[in-house]
């Protein structure tokens, strides 16, 4: 029988999609009020691997990521996703949009040494229910020194476009674990 242990803390990240870079910056500022300062913010990329969000959010969409300095318990991810949905609604309201329409999409998740996990409200065969109507999926896994997609990975994540940012976030996370003395117990992979 395996020993039951508390999970290691993880590195909170959030992805943002909008056609307005100022709204992404605004969303990042709001999240720092709740989750502490960022330790990195990515460059802005065009979000052009899918047109899924265009009917709701318009064209010329942009993608950016933020990594947060403070580590979190991975069990908090569901409540963080519920909160980021509320932030989307708040920003939409402040922009004068009808209820249910959002000008910025927030995708919280976390990085640990072996994977990148995202929270979602959508179920699927590869997603695990957490609570509060929120599911989690392992979007990327870290193997042979690089981020690897799964067959279900979103096209933009699978493209490798964001891998350098995620690699930097993983390296910072590893340093945070070392400073806490938490790297001795491997979880699904080598350091």
């Amino acid at each position: 029988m395996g020993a039951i242990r508390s999970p290691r803390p993880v590195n909170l990240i959030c992805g943002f999609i909008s056609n307005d870079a100022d709204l992404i910056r605004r969303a990042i500022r709001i999240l720092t009020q709740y989750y502490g300062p960022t330790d990195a913010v990515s460059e802005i990329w065009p979000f052009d691997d899918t047109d899924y969000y265009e009917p709701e959010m318009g064209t010329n969409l942009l993608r950016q990521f933020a990594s947060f300095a403070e580590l979190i318990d991975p069990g908090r991810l569901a409540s963080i996703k519920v909160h980021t949905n509320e932030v989307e609604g708040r920003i939409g309201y402040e922009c004068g949009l009808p209820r249910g329409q959002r000008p910025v999409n927030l995708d919280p998740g976390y990085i640990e040494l072996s994977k990148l996990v995202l929270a979602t409200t959508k179920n699927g065969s590869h997603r695990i229910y957490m609570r509060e109507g929120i599911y989690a999926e392992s979007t990327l896994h870290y193997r042979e020194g690089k981020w690897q997609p799964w067959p279900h990975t979103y096209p933009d994540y699978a493209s490798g476009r964001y891998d350098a940012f995620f690699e930097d976030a993983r390296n910072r996370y590893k340093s945070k674990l070392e400073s806490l003395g938490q790297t001795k117990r491997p979880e699904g992979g080598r350091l």
Side-chain angles (χ1 to χ4, degrees), residues 4-73:
I4 297 174
R5 297 185 282 218
S6 296
R8 268 199 281 216
V10 294
N11 200 114
L12 177 64
I13 62 164
C14 192
F16 305 86
I17 300 170
S18 180
N19 60 10
D20 185 336
D22 288 335
L23 286 178
I24 293 175
R25 284 190 286 276
R26 182 175 176 182
I28 292 170
R29 279 193 308 274
I30 291 170
L31 293 186
T32 62
Q33 295 170 13
Y34 296 94
Y35 306 111
T38 60
D39 58 8
V41 177
S42 75
E43 64 183 280
I44 295 177
W45 294 279
F47 184 75
D48 54 9
D49 288 302
T50 179
D51 58 3
Y52 178 82
Y53 292 105
E54 286 184 9
E56 179 184 12
M57 301 176 71
T59 59
N60 301 315
L61 294 174
L62 306 169
R63 161 73 90 180
Q64 191 168 30
F65 293 93
S67 168
F68 292 83
E70 297 174 22
L71 299 181
I72 64 162
D73 182 311

Side-chain angles (χ1 to χ4, degrees), residues 11-17 53 63-66 74 77-78 80-81 105-112 115-122 126-130 134-140 150 152-158 162 166:
N11 200 114
L12 177 64
I13 62 164
C14 192
F16 305 86
I17 300 170
Y53 292 105
R63 161 73 90 180
Q64 191 168 30
F65 293 93
L77 185 59
I80 291 170
K81 177 64 175 171
N105 177 48
L106 283 68
D107 289 321
Y110 62 77
I111 287 179
E112 60 177 69
K115 62 185 167 280
L116 181 148
V117 174
L118 293 178
T120 180
T121 59
K122 298 177 249 351
H126 58 285
R127 294 181 174 149
I128 306 298
Y129 184 74
M130 296 171 66
I134 305 301
Y135 300 82
E137 74 166 38
S138 174
T139 300
L140 296 171
W150 299 102
H152 62 262
T153 298
Y154 295 113
D156 62 322
Y157 284 85
Y162 316 137
F166 295 146

Side-chain angles (χ1 to χ4, degrees), residues 74-150:
R76 290 182 57 200
L77 185 59
S79 62
I80 291 170
K81 177 64 175 171
V82 169
H83 179 247
T84 58
N85 280 6
E86 292 167 359
V87 170
E88 290 175 359
R90 172 180 157 188
I91 293 172
Y93 175 80
E94 291 170 355
C95 290
L97 296 175
R99 185 178 172 90
Q101 189 174 355
R102 58 187 170 171
V104 62
N105 177 48
L106 283 68
D107 289 321
Y110 62 77
I111 287 179
E112 60 177 69
L113 295 175
S114 64
K115 62 185 167 280
L116 181 148
V117 174
L118 293 178
T120 180
T121 59
K122 298 177 249 351
N123 192 6
S125 62
H126 58 285
R127 294 181 174 149
I128 306 298
Y129 184 74
M130 296 171 66
R131 67 176 188 274
E132 300 180 72
I134 305 301
Y135 300 82
E137 74 166 38
S138 174
T139 300
L140 296 171
H141 61 286
Y142 197 80
R143 195 182 76 211
E144 298 176 0
K146 63 183 181 174
W147 291 104
Q148 305 278 342
W150 299 102

